Amino acid sequence: MNNLTPKGIALRISLLVATIVTIIVLLAQAYADKYNFLVIGCVYPAAFFSSYFGFLIAIEKFIYSKIKLVYRTIHNLKRNKNSNLKNISLDTDILNQVREDVIEWDKTNKQEIERLKDMESYRREFVGNVSHELKTPIFNIQGYLLTLLEGGLYDEKINTSYLTKANKSVERMIAIIEDLDQITKLESGIIEMNIQKVDLTELTQEVINSIDITAQEKKIKIKIINHTNKPSVFVFADNDKVSQVLVNLIVNSFKYGKEGGETKIEFFDMDEHILVEVSDNGQGIPEEHHARLFERFYRTDKGRARNAGGSGLGLSIVKHIIEAHEQTINVRSTPNEGSTFSFTLKKYSNK
Ligand SMILES: Nc1ncnc2c1ncn2[C@@H]1O[C@H](COP(=O)(O)OP(=O)(O)OP(=O)(O)O)[C@@H](O)[C@H]1O
Ligand SMILES: [Mg+2]
């Protein structure tokens, strides 16, 4: 009787009942020695149909009352009245269907629990990172202020320099908070994108002019290479945000590039898109970091990057900006050879 449908069960039982009833009627007639074949002919179908529908109604009632409880538990039927029961057909193997639904429900629940656990650990890690990042400048400020309060204020040799250093730490805190604020806004889609025609070659040159001084400190050569067959590269993008992306990537190429090295910014024509690549021949990034590189606060070398003044928010902002343009960013890198960050932007066409 495995995997029988309710209709199958009712059919088998009714056949049995109809046969027994007919035999009883036959025996009764034999006992009375009075055979009525019309009665015998009617008894079988009558017994069959009445017991079939009787059983079907009883089974249906029983299953509905039991299964309703199961579905009420797994699908919260109180709020969503009977919606799942409408799909139950007496032609199907209901118990098996319920078993499969329960397994499915269990799987979804487990996935949801995993997702909540991930979110919780992500939240905990995030709060830990924020407080860790803010702690350093706050303790620095406190140190300078205490020294000044304890008499340093009247010491001409240190008072101005300590105040200047305290102010630097305040600026660092503001920078971190502004970066976090921007990430939050980009994530929640609050920031409005001002998409327009942007001359990428011109914008890149402007960005380089504004940060050139850092490159000079490390004697890094900068090259813009346009592989498209047009003198200017036009894209549809938010000018200020793409400028921010270029600043972040180019400054990283200086920061993690080698003394006397080279930074290249290249443009490739990809039919509907422009591919931009920013590469350096610096320290490179080991493969195991690539997947997490664009996470907030992620650094490959915690100690060194912190000394370099970075908070590990740059690439996270870059990724959010590129995604807000509905484009993607990738990294290729080999330790001690260099890194290449590549992203696409929609090509401007006046069609
Ligand atoms: N071009 C690169 N070469 C080698 N490592 C890099 C490069 N760019 C980024 N990284 C690694 O990725 C990490 C994250 O970079 P990201 O720009 O997000 O943070 P940051 O530069 O440390 O700080 P911020 O940009 O917020 O000032 C860096 O700390 C560094 O370890
Ligand atoms: Mg950076």
Side-chain angles (χ1 to χ4, degrees), residues 247-249 251-252 255-256 310-315:
V247 169
N248 268 302
L249 294 180
V251 167
N252 275 357
K255 254 203 301 197
Y256 310 106
S311 53
L313 290 170
L315 284 180

Side-chain angles (χ1 to χ4, degrees), residues 28 62 166 233 293 305:
F62 175 76
V233 179
L293 214 53

Side-chain angles (χ1 to χ4, degrees), residues 218 220 248-258 262-264 278-282 339:
K218 267 179 119 173
I220 289 177
N248 268 302
L249 294 180
I250 299 173
V251 167
N252 275 357
S253 79
F254 298 161
K255 254 203 301 197
Y256 310 106
K258 68 171 180 206
E262 186 177 72
T263 288
K264 281 194 284 189
V278 178
S279 43
D280 62 70
N281 53 356
S339 315

Side-chain angles (χ1 to χ4, degrees), residues 294-342:
F294 297 95
E295 285 177 18
R296 295 182 246 201
F297 297 113
Y298 193 80
R299 300 186 187 90
T300 55
D301 178 344
K302 305 270 167 199
R304 196 143 30 121
R306 187 164 290 130
N307 292 339
S311 53
L313 290 170
L315 284 180
S316 174
I317 293 179
V318 163
K319 187 166 193 261
H320 275 98
I321 291 177
I322 297 298
E323 283 176 354
H325 283 84
E326 294 172 355
Q327 301 296 319
T328 49
I329 178 158
N330 290 298
V331 61
R332 303 192 301 274
S333 184
T334 313
N336 302 321
E337 281 185 23
S339 315
T340 300
F341 286 85
S342 53

